[in-house]
Amino acid sequence: MDWFQLAREKEARMIETRRYLHQYPEVSFFEKHTHAYIVQRLEQLDFEINDHVGQNGIIAKISGNKQGPTIALRADFDALPIEDLKDVPYRSKVPGVMHACGHDGHTATLLTVAELLHEHQQKLKGTVVLIFQYGEEVTPGGAQEMIADNALMGVDKIYGNHLWSGYPTGTIHTRPGPMMAQPDEFNIKIHGKGGHGAKPHETIDPVVILAEFILSAQKIVSRTIDPVKQAVISFGKIQAGEADNVIPDTAICRGTVRTFEPEVQQHIYHKMDKLLQGLALANDITYDFDYVKGYLPVYNHEASANIVKEAANTLNFRYHDADLMMVGEDFSYYLKARPGAFFFTGCGNPEKNSEWPHHSPHFDIDESAMKYTVSTFMKILELENVL
């Protein structure tokens, strides 16, 4: 089958679907309207639908006449609390909420796969499970809840995709083994002793102590971790005080740690805590240190990653090995439970202003990229002997 041509024939409707979803985004765990829209579309097709899996997930199954494997494909459908600043006709109509990561495109592509499977059901040798997942953007995410609610029951392998503005439109990227990091978060509050800015000797300045911690923390990665291992410590928020002549009682910071290996993650946590202990001892302060572990790293199974590569090459797409990325994805939990692979479809195109980074208020996708995802999914099913 020429899956690319079949996907191209559905491109106009797929773009219409994506733009509708883009105009009516809903944040994680509150995707009521989006959920209803997906169910309504699936009810028009020959699928067995299991609604409200986990909290708000949707499972749709379709089977052929022969006893073949069961392959799952997943898309997420939540949006982000970001104001949409694009000047386009399909700009978000919901104040302060937008699809700034491409999940609208993911849902549109999987609904298109559903239509193709419905139209070619007679060619099915096994079973395809379509997983529409809520809450990917906010930990603990929707994947774990859906898995606990038997989303993967009977599934042999699973595949997922992410449209990616950092790669050129239409390219396909994956790699065996580690591909995306574990995104942990931390919150630190330094309790000092405030006072007048003109009399610092009468205070215990939490701002200076926090600054010392931030600078020292950078040496954890650069001087205590093997340089061939990947790790990141970044500070995203620092807050202290209200006036220029008052030393505050407290100072806070928030940030993220990104790692691929549990031992590196634990090393960073313990080093951060030791730094805080030392600062507390040296400066007579107390502190709160809240460290929240994020999603597991995404580890692709080698055989499945090779299937993605073969699918792209068979379709004559431009395939490249994916870069190691320090971003996170809760698709990792599916891959912990079943063999499979996650891959990227490039959707960055300067001519269509779609090279903005993910989670930017200007983010958009080159919608012509979606047909590459659809046809890759269909070719994967063919190579897995489901079609």
Side-chain angles (χ1 to χ4, degrees):
M1 297 290 295
D2 188 346
W3 296 117
F4 187 67
Q5 178 58 33
L6 291 171
R8 180 181 287 163
E9 291 169 6
K10 293 187 173 293
E11 186 170 27
R13 173 145 167 86
M14 184 160 45
I15 291 173
E16 180 185 346
T17 298
R18 183 259 167 171
R19 292 188 176 188
Y20 174 80
L21 293 169
H22 197 84
Q23 291 178 80
Y24 301 99
E26 295 172 297
V27 295
S28 307
F29 298 98
F30 294 93
E31 311 96 331
K32 182 178 179 181
H33 175 80
T34 308
H35 174 275
Y37 174 81
I38 296 168
V39 171
Q40 180 266 327
R41 286 284 300 270
L42 291 169
E43 285 176 342
Q44 302 172 24
L45 309 172
D46 262 340
F47 281 83
E48 173 191 337
I49 301 170
N50 188 3
D51 206 358
H52 294 293
V53 180
Q55 291 187 43
N56 206 22
I58 304 158
I59 300 293
K61 295 183 181 180
I62 189 168
S63 300
N65 296 323
K66 295 182 180 179
Q67 194 72 21
T70 298
I71 305 297
L73 307 176
R74 174 268 208 170
D76 39 18
F77 56 81
D78 55 326
L80 287 153
I82 297 173
E83 186 70 32
D84 193 348
L85 299 183
K86 296 189 302 300
D87 184 17
V88 294
Y90 50 87
R91 178 178 169 179
S92 171
K93 297 181 183 294
V94 182
V97 183
M98 72 171 287
H99 274 290
C101 202
H103 296 190
D104 50 345
H106 302 167
T107 301
T109 57
L110 203 60
L111 286 171
T112 303
V113 168
E115 291 180 1
L116 286 172
L117 290 170
H118 167 75
E119 293 166 7
H120 299 277
Q121 187 174 5
Q122 74 280 3
K123 292 183 171 64
L124 277 172
K125 303 175 185 177
T127 299
V128 180
V129 177
L130 304 182
I131 299 176
F132 293 88
Q133 184 201 309
Y134 61 95
E136 189 278 330
E137 293 287 1
V138 176
T139 54
Q144 293 183 84
E145 294 179 343
M146 292 190 70
I147 293 167
D149 202 8
N150 297 317
L152 295 178
M153 181 178 290
V155 169
D156 297 307
K157 294 182 183 179
I158 183 166
Y159 291 88
N161 170 258
H162 207 303
L163 293 161
W164 201 254
S165 64
Y167 289 138
T169 293
T171 55
I172 302 295
H173 305 250
T174 194
R175 62 184 296 138
M179 188 167 80
M180 303 174 78
Q182 176 158 347
D184 299 344
E185 301 172 1
F186 61 84
N187 298 273
I188 296 169
K189 187 172 187 178
I190 304 292
H191 299 272
K193 178 184 175 183
H196 200 292
K199 296 184 176 182
H201 60 290
E202 295 179 358
T203 73
I204 301 175
D205 191 340
V207 177
V208 173
I209 296 165
L210 180 60
E212 185 176 350
F213 171 77
I214 291 170
L215 290 173
S216 296
Q218 300 307 309
K219 293 186 290 185
I220 296 174
V221 173
S222 67
R223 289 297 177 267
T224 73
I225 293 174
D226 186 335
V228 302
K229 296 185 177 181
Q230 295 80 19
V232 167
I233 302 176
S234 293
F235 292 84
K237 179 179 181 179
I238 301 170
Q239 185 175 340
E242 300 292 340
D244 59 2
N245 62 347
V246 177
I247 292 173
D249 285 320
T250 62
I252 67 170
C253 68
R254 298 182 62 182
T256 184
V257 172
R258 306 291 171 119
T259 56
F260 285 96
E261 302 173 37
E263 58 270 25
V264 176
Q265 176 201 55
Q266 284 298 110
H267 173 82
I268 290 175
Y269 168 78
H270 288 303
K271 282 291 186 181
M272 291 176 75
D273 195 37
K274 281 186 176 181
L275 275 176
L276 289 167
Q277 290 176 32
L279 289 168
L281 184 64
N283 296 281
D284 296 321
I285 55 111
T286 60
Y287 64 89
D288 301 319
F289 181 28
D290 184 23
Y291 191 98
V292 181
K293 293 183 178 181
Y295 303 146
L296 297 175
V298 173
Y299 272 77
N300 284 331
H301 296 253
E302 184 173 4
S304 299
N306 288 336
I307 287 285
V308 175
K309 181 177 181 178
E310 184 179 355
N313 288 334
T314 303
L315 290 162
N316 294 317
F317 296 163
R318 289 173 291 162
Y319 172 84
H320 302 279
D321 288 340
D323 300 319
L324 280 173
M325 293 190 180
M326 303 311 286
V327 295
E329 236 292 348
D330 76 346
F331 191 81
S332 56
Y333 293 104
Y334 298 110
L335 294 177
K336 183 180 179 182
R338 296 290 188 276
F342 196 66
F343 66 97
F344 295 103
T345 301
C347 64
N349 186 341
E351 296 179 2
K352 297 185 179 180
N353 203 28
S354 66
E355 290 188 314
W356 289 94
H358 293 249
H359 296 203
S360 162
H362 301 282
F363 177 82
D364 205 355
I365 65 170
D366 178 355
E367 294 166 319
S368 69
M370 292 190 291
K371 60 181 175 287
Y372 291 88
T373 299
V374 171
S375 45
T376 300
F377 270 147
M378 297 304 293
K379 181 58 71 172
I380 287 169
L381 294 175
E382 192 176 285
L383 293 171
E384 289 285 10
N385 204 33
V386 178
L387 280 167

